[in-house]
Amino acid sequence: MVPTGPVPEGLPDLRTMTLADAEAFAVAQGWQRFRGEQVWRWVHDKGARNFEEMTNLSQSTRDEFAAKATIGCLTVAEVQTSKDGTRKIRMTTRDGASIESVLIPMGEHVTQCISSQVGCAVDCQFCATAKMGLKRNLDAGEIVDQVYLGKRILAEAEPAARISNIVYMGMGEPLHNYDNLITSLKILTNDKGAKLAHRRITVSTSGLVPKLAKLGAETEVRPNLAVSLNAPNDAVRDMIMPINRKWNIGKLLAALKAYPLEQRRRITFEYVLLAGVNDSLADAAQLAKLLRGFKCKVNLIPYNPHPEAEYARPSAAQIDAFQNECKRLGMSTYLRIPKGDDIDAACGQLANRSNGSPVVPLRIRKGPPPPPPVE
Ligand code: SAH
Ligand code: SF4
């Protein structure tokens, strides 16, 4: 079992702190700076979930910390395992919200997909998370704790397996929770903590243009970037991703052209294949034209069905034909085979259904489109 401790409320949370924050916190308490690093490493490297686990600290030091700080913990509510080995972990926050993370076996390694928000405000028409609306942002501690719990669960289930990659592709729009995203990246990549390489982390976004510029200017964190394009033109993207009415494809691609890419990196464009909406060979040709000259690859994601949307997955033959056309036109194109769809863990299916959350009926839009979402 994964232990979680009851945590007193209202105190600074070590799980949300970068190493520098923890050191500054220790100094502000009148303690030596190295004490800050010591407890930080217990939390973020060794995975301690309470001060009692910090066995090389004297009882009085542990008590002093426990009086001045907490360690925020998620609780594991449920782990479901798919027949393809994918594991969906449902976790509960201290205020009772439910979030989901997915462990996806990829050959010898495991990729973990993590959530950045409870729900999402972006309202993409094909996405189950969208139908929840946005409940709240996750704090940085709640983001990184998904990784620490994922590690523990994997270690118990498959001791030989390792989480090698992290993708911010679970519930939520990471760039709508910008500060906590950046803090979580600083924590996960710190070589005194979880030690994840920047190039092993991917942040996926629906394309919040001003935040892309901000992310590109960050110096301490350099994740890979995935962009949910999902359409070959504004007419289709306006329809399936209302955010396109605020930042259309032209603005999005201009922001991506200006995005600083490290050597040997490229932007990933995600493209959900929706039957009869964006899956024709003409769509593939338009997509190729759009992305000409970009250092990028295209991930095709066949639509994963769920009760809240009325779309359909294209036939295997159509998916094949679309991919072949993309390749023929010179795009480096990969097909994302749906994983974990039998437990609603595949892309776009995360909606806390097993939690008994009400399933919101599909809103079929008639008349003029709604105003663009507020950034
Ligand atoms: N909010 C971020 C990250 C989470 S969504 C983003 O949109 O990029 C992760 C990916 O799942 C996105 O590329 C999205 O387009 C895709 N997706 C959403 N709903 C889907 C569905 N029903 N079937 C397949 N992919 C879906
Ligand atoms: Fe939010 Fe991403 Fe779903 Fe769009 S696809 S609603 S941005 S989680």
Side-chain angles (χ1 to χ4, degrees):
M1 262 320 288
V2 176
T4 47
V7 190
E9 298 293 336
L11 295 172
D13 182 355
L14 272 165
R15 183 136 8 233
T16 64
M17 294 184 196
T18 62
L19 175 56
D21 294 338
E23 288 172 335
F25 171 75
V27 171
Q29 305 303 314
W31 302 328
Q32 287 163 292
R33 179 173 290 270
F34 86 92
R35 286 274 179 234
E37 177 176 330
Q38 215 175 11
V39 288
W40 190 90
R41 288 179 91 143
W42 266 109
V43 174
H44 294 283
D45 177 20
K46 297 183 193 138
R49 305 194 70 73
N50 56 55
F51 292 102
E52 286 313 303
E53 289 180 27
M54 303 183 182
T55 45
N56 67 349
L57 265 63
S58 70
Q59 189 62 49
S60 64
T61 306
R62 285 184 235 168
D63 291 345
E64 267 183 87
F65 264 102
K68 292 288 166 76
T70 93
I71 303 169
C73 289
L74 298 170
T75 311
V76 175
E78 189 181 13
V79 181
Q80 287 175 276
T81 306
S82 155
K83 54 184 183 328
D84 64 25
T86 300
R87 286 188 170 79
K88 180 164 83 171
I89 312 166
R90 192 162 56 79
M91 305 172 213
T92 312
T93 63
R94 278 190 280 171
D95 60 351
S98 250
I99 55 167
E100 293 176 332
S101 176
V102 186
L103 297 171
I104 309 156
M106 297 281 201
E108 310 235 299
H109 296 283
V110 172
T111 291
Q112 184 173 12
C113 175
I114 59 174
S115 294
S116 56
Q117 297 182 306
V118 184
C120 184
V122 180
D123 204 20
C124 302
Q125 295 299 289
F126 45 80
C127 174
T129 305
K131 305 304 166 198
M132 296 173 64
L134 175 63
K135 303 279 194 284
R136 71 168 174 84
N137 282 332
L138 295 181
D139 69 31
E142 291 167 328
I143 297 175
V144 301
D145 203 21
Q146 294 171 63
V147 178
Y148 306 157
L149 287 175
K151 246 192 212 174
R152 284 194 175 207
I153 287 166
L154 195 65
E156 280 174 22
E158 286 175 55
R162 289 281 170 277
I163 296 172
S164 60
N165 291 67
I166 300 290
V167 294
Y168 286 70
M169 291 186 190
M171 297 164 75
E173 165 51 59
L175 296 188
H176 262 160
N177 186 13
Y178 189 84
D179 292 345
N180 291 319
L181 166 71
I182 299 299
T183 305
S184 69
L185 290 168
K186 285 181 184 168
I187 293 173
L188 291 175
T189 54
N190 192 304
D191 60 9
K192 291 178 177 167
K195 306 176 187 65
L196 280 153
H198 295 262
R199 64 175 197 289
R200 299 231 170 250
I201 302 181
T202 300
V203 173
S204 175
T205 176
S206 56
L208 310 189
V209 164
K211 293 289 161 56
L212 281 170
K214 215 171 158 191
L215 184 64
E218 295 286 344
T219 49
E220 255 189 79
V221 293
R222 303 176 307 281
N224 292 310
L225 188 61
V227 177
S228 298
L229 184 61
N230 296 334
N233 57 54
D234 282 325
V236 173
R237 201 163 191 265
D238 277 353
M239 208 167 59
I240 62 176
M241 296 183 71
I243 196 143
N244 198 63
R245 295 184 205 125
K246 184 153 190 175
W247 294 298
N248 63 19
I249 294 180
K251 289 180 186 161
L252 176 58
L253 295 185
L256 294 174
K257 283 221 167 94
Y259 192 85
L261 277 183
E262 283 181 33
Q263 272 199 334
R264 282 180 289 153
R265 295 246 196 129
R266 45 190 185 163
I267 290 173
T268 300
F269 286 103
E270 292 154 293
Y271 193 98
V272 180
L273 282 167
L274 306 167
V277 176
N278 63 1
D279 66 336
S280 71
L281 297 191
D283 292 328
Q286 246 189 334
L287 183 65
K289 212 166 150 193
L290 218 50
L291 301 185
R292 195 161 294 151
F294 257 103
K295 230 176 125 190
C296 68
K297 64 173 176 165
V298 176
N299 270 356
L300 300 177
I301 317 174
Y303 172 68
N304 292 309
H306 55 85
E308 294 93 339
E310 58 180 5
Y311 297 104
R313 182 183 294 177
S315 68
Q318 190 58 32
I319 294 172
D320 222 35
F322 191 92
Q323 184 179 17
N324 287 338
E325 185 66 355
C326 289
K327 284 186 171 164
R328 194 182 69 79
L329 295 168
M331 282 185 281
S332 150
T333 314
Y334 301 83
L335 184 61
R336 238 201 262 152
I337 311 290
K339 294 231 175 162
D341 47 350
D342 54 329
I343 55 165
D344 284 344
C347 293
Q349 292 183 317
L350 301 183
N352 290 330
R353 241 182 302 280
S354 55
N355 191 27
S357 302
V359 171
V360 183
L362 174 68
R363 287 155 289 167
I364 297 174
R365 294 229 162 91
K366 296 204 173 82
V374 185
E375 158 45 4

